[in-house]
Amino acid sequence: MGDLSLGDAFWTWAVFGGLLVNLSSSGLFLVLITLDLPWLALIAGYGLSVPYNLAVMVGVWRSADQYDGPAQHANLARGRARSC
């Protein structure tokens, strides 16, 4: 991880990939909860999206460490509003 450019890691994997994974797992959660399968819904809702989001967060953070552009862009990708 961290070998991707910051833009690719953030926009492709965190924003667009995260949107796809989170919408899919939320939809599956809703279907399973309406079928009265709460434990499967919990696993589908959190067991799919949380590991993906954690892995992407680490990847974006590592890509931000390798970023050669303006420090403000790397800090914003890490969730920091201002440079340190």
Side-chain angles (χ1 to χ4, degrees):
M1 285 189 181
D3 295 334
L4 295 175
S5 69
L6 180 58
D8 193 27
F10 182 79
W11 288 107
T12 303
W13 294 99
V15 175
F16 298 121
L19 186 65
L20 180 66
V21 167
N22 293 324
L23 286 175
S24 299
S25 65
S26 295
L28 187 56
F29 173 85
L30 290 173
V31 167
L32 291 170
I33 208 75
T34 58
L35 294 173
D36 199 28
L37 298 168
W39 285 108
L40 284 177
L42 182 72
I43 292 168
Y46 291 101
L48 299 174
S49 65
V50 171
Y52 178 84
N53 288 308
L54 289 174
V56 166
M57 183 179 72
V58 169
V60 168
W61 195 280
R62 290 182 179 177
S63 292
D65 284 341
Q66 305 295 325
Y67 185 61
D68 290 331
Q72 182 180 6
H73 293 175
N75 288 329
L76 287 171
R78 289 187 197 110
R80 297 178 185 167
R82 55 190 160 131
S83 59
C84 298

